[in-house]
Amino acid sequence: MKILVINCGSSSLKYQLIDSDTEAVLAKGLCERIGIDGSNIAHQRAGGEKVKEMADMPDHTAAVKLVIEKLTDPEVGVIGSLSEIDAVGHRVVHGGESFSGSVLVDDEVIKGIEACSDLAPLHNPANLIGIRSCQEIMPGVPMAVVFDTAFHQTMPEKAYLYGLPYEYYQKYKIRRYGFHGTSHDFVSKRAAEILGKDRKDLRIIVCHLGNGASVSAVAYGKSVDTSMGLTPLEGLIMGTRSGDMDPAIVSFLAQKEGLDAAQVIDICNKKSGVLGLSGGASSDFRDLVEAAQNGNELAKNALEAYAYRVGKYIGAYTAAMNGVDVIAFTAGVGENNAEVRALIGQYIGYLGTNIDPEKNKLRGEEVILSDEGAKVVTMVVPTNEELAIARETVRLLNR
Ligand code: AMP
């Protein structure tokens, strides 16, 4: 089957056309600045050059139309017509407590996603626009939605409740949800496969370290804790997000700087993390490592603080699962940044990880970092959220 995987943001649309039989990516691309001046598309067929062009995209429906044009284009396309697309899989950020797994789209599902929109006001409405646009352009083509939060719906109450008056959970569903679920699920499954074991027999800590970052505790196949919360702001220090901090800082800073709460939260989301800590040097870990190597003390401190926080979460999740068998690193930083992995390594050696510094130099591939016989197997497992969405879509269609 040919599955079109769509990841829609408020002004962007990422896509991949995946052949689910071979799991090959046939073509992929990105539409940017949708609804804004200067909208453009970058499209690439497997084995071909990336072609980037300016194209008028006043809305997401126009973007979906253009994606179909590219996919069916005689030169850069990979299919003869729209009818070759068997199904569409959409990434949706927030499924609240209503969705503990992926589902096929129908009117009820759309209403359910709408109902979760106040929990993810930047993301869910954009995801819905993507679904509606595809429905308009591809009527009758089955569609599935895969939620970032779904995998973490197995967390126990003790892990997801905040220490707030219980009525706020009852009235507003304020609780920890967690994100990157598709990645934590994919990587923990794959880690077990690589080791030739059943995920149900393992306690796995997945460190999804990208620009956004989260850690999860996957005990015997189920997520039992994860570092992101009601929103993706909680937990690790990230590229531009603060992660955990004393909530009293919000009113303190608001008063000092003459801001309102929303403005302070905006700073916590966009100007903090390693970007903020490094005095604005960069949110990109490649730049930070380089800056630190060139003697930038703030960049060095930012990396230290980042690694320390990851190390603390690994310790916490080892306690949450009463032990750990596997630690898996994934996403941009986790897969590629040997320097950052080495810094984190300083805080997990006591577990018996025995990381081989030579193996740790490898980038972007599946690799076991620990020496043979290590008590806790540390490994790199590249994530592939698009493939996971395509697999889920096929699974739902075949049910
Ligand atoms: P993501 O959000 O998963 O795309 O991750 C983005 C982060 O991964 C950025 O901070 C990049 O610096 C980092 N990253 C991506 N590729 C590399 C690489 N080859 N070496 C080091 N860091 C990388």
Side-chain angles (χ1 to χ4, degrees):
M1 278 200 265
K2 292 193 177 78
I3 312 292
L4 179 61
V5 176
I6 300 270
N7 182 355
C8 229
S10 54
S11 66
S12 69
L13 187 156
K14 253 194 249 172
Y15 62 94
Q16 280 194 6
L17 186 67
I18 294 178
D19 181 333
S20 66
D21 301 324
T22 59
E23 299 203 326
V25 178
L26 304 174
K28 62 182 178 181
L30 170 66
C31 303
E32 283 180 306
R33 300 182 64 86
I34 300 168
I36 313 172
D37 275 355
S39 48
N40 62 80
I41 181 168
H43 172 87
Q44 188 174 21
R45 59 179 285 168
E49 292 276 298
K50 192 191 265 187
V51 277
K52 195 167 175 177
E53 66 186 53
M54 307 300 286
D56 197 27
M57 284 178 270
D59 54 30
H60 286 75
T61 307
V64 174
K65 245 188 217 156
L66 189 60
V67 169
I68 303 296
E69 263 175 42
K70 290 289 168 211
L71 292 172
T72 54
D73 184 274
E75 270 178 35
V76 296
V78 285
I79 50 175
S81 78
L82 183 63
S83 61
E84 288 183 45
I85 298 175
D86 296 293
V88 183
H90 293 270
R91 173 183 181 216
V92 174
V93 167
H94 219 306
E97 288 188 330
S98 314
F99 298 102
S100 56
S102 319
V103 283
L104 288 173
V105 175
D106 61 19
D107 291 347
E108 281 306 300
V109 167
I110 300 248
K111 275 190 210 144
I113 299 171
E114 271 169 353
C116 300
S117 280
D118 63 341
L119 292 169
L122 296 178
H123 296 100
N124 272 30
N127 301 152
L128 274 169
I129 290 171
I131 296 169
R132 292 211 172 94
S133 298
C134 287
Q135 284 178 322
E136 204 180 316
I137 309 282
M138 294 176 258
V141 176
M143 303 208 188
V145 281
V146 178
F147 297 94
D148 263 21
T149 49
F151 181 60
H152 302 301
Q153 277 297 298
T154 47
M155 277 194 284
E157 211 177 42
K158 65 184 176 190
Y160 71 67
L161 282 184
Y162 288 110
L164 287 169
Y166 192 69
E167 63 181 287
Y168 297 138
Y169 168 59
Q170 291 173 305
K171 274 204 271 189
Y172 309 120
K173 293 283 170 225
I174 294 178
R175 50 159 283 179
R176 308 182 58 257
Y177 290 94
F179 297 86
H180 295 139
T182 311
S183 178
H184 288 289
D185 186 18
F186 179 91
V187 169
S188 54
K189 243 186 226 151
R190 183 71 198 133
E193 258 171 35
I194 293 168
L195 297 173
K197 296 198 170 151
D198 192 327
R199 186 170 68 163
K200 288 201 178 81
D201 297 325
L202 295 169
R203 292 161 298 183
I204 305 174
I205 294 178
V206 179
C207 304
H208 177 109
L209 310 178
N211 196 23
S214 64
V215 185
S216 69
V218 183
Y220 310 115
K222 288 187 176 152
S223 171
V224 293
D225 210 339
T226 190
S227 57
M228 282 179 167
L230 175 75
T231 76
L233 183 54
E234 192 180 344
L236 299 179
I237 293 173
M238 306 179 214
T240 65
R241 289 175 231 163
S242 62
D244 298 337
M245 62 178 208
D246 182 343
I249 292 170
V250 177
S251 58
F252 186 86
L253 198 55
Q255 198 205 352
K256 292 283 182 200
E257 293 274 319
L259 303 171
D260 61 26
Q263 288 171 312
V264 177
I265 294 298
D266 201 52
I267 292 172
C268 296
N269 266 310
K270 298 184 186 153
K271 297 191 176 155
S272 303
V274 288
L275 172 71
L277 273 172
S278 66
S282 181
S283 65
D284 189 294
F285 283 78
R286 272 171 294 204
D287 300 343
L288 281 177
V289 168
E290 199 185 318
Q293 283 165 350
N294 290 334
N296 182 328
E297 280 300 312
L298 287 184
K300 186 165 170 275
N301 294 346
L303 291 169
E304 280 293 350
Y306 176 86
Y308 177 64
R309 180 81 56 92
V310 177
K312 283 209 298 188
Y313 263 99
I314 292 173
Y317 288 171
T318 302
M321 297 190 288
N322 209 359
V324 59
D325 304 300
V326 179
I327 299 171
F329 290 105
T330 195
V333 179
E335 291 167 26
N336 299 300
N337 206 311
E339 292 84 359
V340 173
R341 282 198 308 256
L343 287 175
I344 297 167
Q346 302 173 90
Y347 303 105
I348 58 178
Y350 70 94
L351 292 167
T353 47
N354 286 1
I355 295 177
D356 176 342
E358 283 307 309
K359 289 186 199 150
N360 187 49
K361 286 183 186 155
L362 297 170
R363 290 175 193 272
E365 55 184 285
E366 288 179 347
V367 53
I368 295 176
L369 304 172
S370 297
D371 284 331
E372 212 160 311
K375 209 165 145 226
V376 174
V377 180
T378 307
M379 55 204 296
V380 172
V381 181
T383 192
N384 193 337
E385 286 162 290
E386 289 78 13
L387 177 59
I389 292 172
R391 282 182 186 166
E392 275 297 279
T393 306
V394 172
R395 185 183 66 79
L396 290 167
L397 287 175
N398 288 341
R399 265 207 314 206

